[in-house]
Amino acid sequence: MYTLALAPQWLSPDYLISHFGLAGILVIVFAESGLFAFLPGDSLLFTGGLLVANGEYIKQPLWLVCTLIAAAAIIGDQVGYMIGKFFGPKLFNRPKSKIFKRENLDKAHEFMDKHGPKAIVLARFVPIIRTFAPMVAGAGSMKYRTFLTYNVIGGIGWGAGITIAGYWLGQIEFIKANVEAILVLIVLISLVPVIFEVLKARKEKKALSAGAPFEADGPQTPGQRGRHAKR
């Protein structure tokens, strides 16, 4: 099996799959899709596909594994949507909450505003955002039919897509010999959008504290610059 050093042992793909098999993958995919962030979704799916190819721990055929994973992802997003629809505003108004932070909701909201309904698909490939995007969709009253359509596309694309990638790439000797490095690389790549958003937020905060308009708000007219300067 393969150990991912960046994660706690109980959250590493090898621990989850060796102890719980396919059921462990399905529970994590479901939970990360609409309940809890900071779970090893991408690396877990890749490892799952790889182990299907090797016939190790997961004995079910690839088509069944992909179908069940996609279903877990879609159902997880449905739960997230309903949570956002019925409990969103109250849930994220807890200043001391470590999971349901207001800033996580705001980041997901910005992502949704920027990309529109297709954000439901794109968010699947961005850690943290993929957990809160369906909640934002529910809290923002996105039409359920629209959400469901993009949710199905995203669930299949992410859940089945990464699993199939692990299955095919896992049969390449170079990948087999460097699995741990590949898993670390997957985690780092998946974190790039998150790091970008953090740096962007810091830049915004620094610009606001300096009294300068942030570029993301668009070009400022001379009159606007003057008003900012007076403040």
Side-chain angles (χ1 to χ4, degrees):
M1 280 296 283
Y2 318 104
T3 302
L4 184 58
L6 295 180
Q9 182 184 7
W10 60 276
L11 273 182
S12 62
D14 66 324
Y15 181 89
L16 290 168
I17 295 176
S18 63
H19 282 72
F20 305 105
L22 178 58
I25 297 178
L26 298 179
V27 170
I28 293 296
V29 168
F30 169 80
E32 191 180 18
S33 294
L35 296 174
F36 300 104
F38 309 109
L39 296 176
D42 299 317
S43 58
L44 187 65
L45 292 178
F46 186 88
T47 303
L50 191 152
L51 293 177
V52 171
N54 293 346
E56 185 179 1
Y57 291 102
I58 300 177
K59 305 300 181 182
Q60 293 83 356
L62 180 64
W63 69 267
L64 179 58
V65 172
C66 289
T67 300
L68 293 176
I69 288 175
I74 292 169
I75 295 171
D77 256 27
Q78 296 297 307
V79 173
Y81 180 90
M82 293 304 172
I83 289 174
K85 185 176 181 65
F86 295 104
F87 306 106
K90 294 181 180 179
L91 194 63
F92 288 91
N93 280 331
R94 300 179 179 181
K96 295 183 179 180
S97 175
K98 293 183 178 180
I99 298 177
F100 298 105
K101 293 181 180 179
R102 182 72 195 185
E103 62 186 87
N104 289 333
L105 183 65
D106 291 339
K107 288 176 183 177
H109 213 298
E110 286 180 24
F111 192 86
M112 295 283 289
D113 288 342
K114 181 178 181 181
H115 298 287
K118 66 180 180 180
I120 299 299
V121 177
L122 298 176
R124 286 287 187 183
F125 300 88
V126 184
I128 302 176
I129 298 295
R130 67 168 153 253
T131 302
F132 295 106
M135 296 182 187
V136 171
S141 299
M142 177 185 288
K143 289 184 178 179
Y144 180 73
R145 183 177 297 180
T146 300
F147 171 79
L148 180 61
T149 300
Y150 285 94
N151 178 25
V152 170
I153 295 172
I156 295 174
W158 177 67
I162 295 182
T163 304
I164 292 173
Y167 179 86
W168 290 110
L169 293 176
Q171 300 180 54
I172 300 173
E173 288 302 323
F174 175 80
I175 302 295
K176 285 184 180 180
N178 298 277
V179 172
E180 291 187 21
I182 297 297
L183 293 178
V184 172
L185 182 62
I186 291 172
V187 173
L188 293 177
I189 291 175
S190 67
L191 289 176
V192 168
V194 178
I195 295 172
F196 175 78
E197 290 298 327
V198 170
L199 294 176
K200 179 182 174 183
R202 288 183 179 179
K203 187 176 180 181
E204 281 185 355
K205 187 175 180 180
K206 185 176 180 181
L208 290 173
S209 63
F214 186 62
E215 291 181 1
D217 294 331
Q220 303 289 326
T221 64
Q224 287 175 315
R225 293 194 186 98
R227 286 194 295 273
H228 279 292
K230 290 178 182 179
R231 291 177 187 173

